[in-house]
Amino acid sequence: MAYRKRPLSPFMLGQTYRFQITSLMSILHRITGISLALGGISLVWWLMAIAIGGDAYEFASRQWSSPLGMLFLFGFTLALVYHLLNGIRHLLWDAGWGYEIPKVYASGIAVFVVGVLLTGLIWFFGLRGAA
């Protein structure tokens, strides 16, 4: 019998595992978690600018209303909605629902679609209310 040396801790994609939607969702969940932490720091900066008032608030307001600031806020909203929906998906798994492969893929696609739609609705009503 030939001895085959197996890796002790294989990298999840590439050599050992093939890429699939569950891989993408796991990676995105981690990325959105980090993004939410950074966005939380930005939120604290904005709240501190409000508390200080005057020039600090005016500067922060200009930053958030710039095209780059709006892009950041849109990305933060998308990350928040995705992370929330995927977290709910994981809670359902913890309850024992959705382990069958077709349900895993269907819930993954649903998280993507509902996440984009919900983010679009949030921004639609948010921008509409500002007008």
Side-chain angles (χ1 to χ4, degrees), residues 18-123:
R18 86 183 146 85
F19 191 78
Q20 50 194 348
I21 191 171
T22 52
S23 309
L24 177 66
M25 304 236 9
S26 176
I27 292 167
L28 284 177
H29 194 75
R30 294 162 199 251
I31 290 171
T32 56
I34 293 168
S35 300
L36 292 174
L38 296 175
I41 293 169
S42 299
L43 177 64
V44 168
W45 170 70
W46 178 68
L47 290 172
M48 288 175 58
I50 290 173
I52 293 169
D55 292 337
Y57 176 71
E58 185 180 323
F59 176 75
S61 183
R62 273 196 322 269
Q63 300 307 311
W64 289 125
S65 61
S66 73
L68 190 59
M70 295 294 275
L71 182 65
F72 177 85
L73 289 173
F74 182 81
F76 182 76
T77 308
L78 185 61
L80 182 64
V81 170
Y82 173 81
H83 203 79
L84 172 69
L85 294 175
N86 204 39
I88 292 170
R89 180 175 177 244
H90 277 269
L91 284 174
L92 292 173
W93 284 354
D94 290 343
W97 182 85
Y99 278 120
E100 300 82 19
I101 294 299
K103 285 186 179 180
V104 168
Y105 283 102
S107 64
I109 292 168
V111 165
F112 280 124
V113 172
V114 173
V116 170
L117 290 175
L118 196 54
T119 302
L121 283 173
I122 289 168
W123 273 77

